[in-house]
Amino acid sequence: MGGFDMSKLKGSIVAVVTPMTEEGAVDYEALKGLVDWHIAEGTNGIVAVGTTGESPTLDGAEWEGVVGTCITHAKGRVPVIAGTGTNSTAATVAKTKRALELGADAALIVTPYYNKPTQEGLYQHYTTVAKAVPQLPIILYNVPGRTGCDMLPETVERLSKVGSIIATKEAAGKIERFADIRKRCGPDFVVYSGEDGLACESIKQGGDGVISVTANVAPGLFSRMCKAGLAKDFTEAERLDSFLTPLHKALFCEPNPTPSKFLLKEMGKIKGGIRLPLLPLTSANEGLLREALKTSQQA
């Protein structure tokens, strides 16, 4: 682990894409370039191999390669959070242990997908991981639209009392949850939005920042928006967010990270590789994405 106090990490945290060649091989040199770019643009932290990083399609060696490259290339300039969640508790424990060995600063652990555990099952899942790897801070991740499982605020409250569980990434699409979780869990528990379209409002509701898809393509502007919001300059945060709003929408016109990868290729940051079952962007949406990016560059 690095020397970061992860309970203090706020602002714009990018869920970075995994660059790939046209043939689908992981492009580690392009990944290093993305890390440098994000740091230069003011991104506050990097999530390696979250779902935006196509975690379901990377094998174990590739997962280690991407996480390890982000850690070694960041060189302690920003914290690196490893996506270690699976729908097997034992596999999640093993992956989280490996993230610790690789030097990750924290683990982002999505709720088990497909299994549809109960709230008690979720509690037992996360506490088992936390007890097995107590040295590594854990960020919960609730995204029911992807997993078929909704972790309720009262379960987050219970888990917030488990020592190494320091934060949650909330992406249920319910803005009222941010104030609810903040009230339940207190000021020291970190609450991130997992939805870019709710990012600005979530900060106004007491959130601490965003684990973001949009930051992949507009890192500087997204970081400025979060910084303004956290400084309680909500007028400026809303102004900046107005330039990001078309991107928040356009980046989900097709399954994530297809649109992000299209724009990053257009920008010369990565090649065009993406893995099945996802596909490259259809031509019908190219104009929409170019216009959204253009709007963000006018801020």
Side-chain angles (χ1 to χ4, degrees):
M1 278 195 314
F4 297 99
D5 180 353
M6 296 302 293
S7 67
K8 306 297 185 188
L9 178 61
K10 300 184 178 184
S12 175
I13 303 164
V14 65
V16 72
V17 303
T18 299
M20 296 173 185
T21 66
E22 299 291 352
E23 295 74 32
V26 175
D27 186 345
Y28 292 103
E29 289 307 308
L31 180 60
K32 292 174 186 176
L34 290 179
V35 170
D36 286 334
W37 181 48
H38 278 290
I39 293 170
E41 290 289 306
T43 297
N44 301 104
I46 295 171
V47 171
V49 204
T51 45
T52 301
E54 295 175 78
S55 54
T57 70
L58 268 61
D59 65 26
E62 290 169 331
W63 177 86
E64 288 200 13
V66 173
V67 172
T69 296
C70 286
I71 292 165
T72 57
H73 197 69
K75 296 177 182 175
R77 292 176 288 171
V78 295
V80 175
I81 300 159
T84 65
T86 76
N87 62 346
S88 158
T89 303
T92 301
V93 167
K95 220 167 190 181
T96 305
K97 285 181 176 178
R98 186 61 183 137
L100 177 66
E101 292 167 356
L102 290 168
D105 295 289
L108 177 67
I109 302 180
V110 71
T111 55
Y113 37 88
Y114 194 79
N115 318 54
K116 293 192 173 182
T118 63
Q119 297 301 304
E120 182 62 24
L122 288 170
Y123 179 78
Q124 295 294 338
H125 172 76
Y126 282 108
T127 54
T128 297
V129 179
K131 288 175 182 176
V133 199
Q135 310 95 318
L136 193 64
I138 289 172
I139 302 169
L140 312 172
Y141 180 16
N142 185 45
V143 57
R146 287 259 184 174
T147 64
C149 169
D150 187 8
M151 182 162 53
L152 299 178
E154 45 266 41
T155 303
V156 177
E157 180 181 5
R158 289 180 71 197
L159 288 168
S160 72
K161 296 175 171 61
V162 178
S164 60
I165 297 176
I166 61 159
T168 191
K169 175 185 177 182
E170 175 58 47
K174 299 177 180 179
I175 190 62
E176 65 275 8
R177 286 227 175 150
F178 296 97
D180 189 11
I181 292 170
R182 169 62 68 228
K183 183 178 179 180
R184 288 173 177 274
C185 299
D188 296 330
F189 190 71
V190 182
V191 184
Y192 300 119
S193 173
E195 296 189 61
D196 292 302
L198 295 180
C200 185
E201 185 61 30
S202 72
I203 292 172
K204 290 170 66 178
Q205 296 265 347
D208 295 300
V210 191
I211 296 178
S212 171
V213 174
T214 302
N216 273 287
V217 298
L221 179 57
F222 203 91
S223 177
R224 286 164 53 204
M225 185 275 290
C226 289
K227 188 175 181 180
L230 291 167
K232 299 194 183 305
D233 186 351
F234 298 134
T235 300
E236 176 65 0
E238 288 171 351
R239 186 189 74 81
L240 294 172
D241 194 50
S242 69
F243 291 96
L244 288 164
T245 297
L247 268 181
H248 297 332
K249 296 176 181 177
L251 288 173
F252 292 91
C253 66
E254 294 184 28
N256 176 48
T258 292
S260 298
K261 282 195 156 184
F262 168 77
L263 284 179
L264 286 167
K265 183 183 179 185
E266 290 260 304
M267 298 162 74
K269 300 291 183 184
I270 66 172
K271 299 183 177 71
I274 194 164
R275 287 187 180 171
L276 287 169
L278 298 183
L279 295 169
L281 191 79
T282 57
S283 58
N285 284 319
E286 291 180 1
L288 172 72
L289 281 156
R290 290 186 182 115
E291 283 301 310
L293 182 63
K294 186 176 178 182
T295 297
S296 74
Q297 293 168 339
Q298 294 169 355

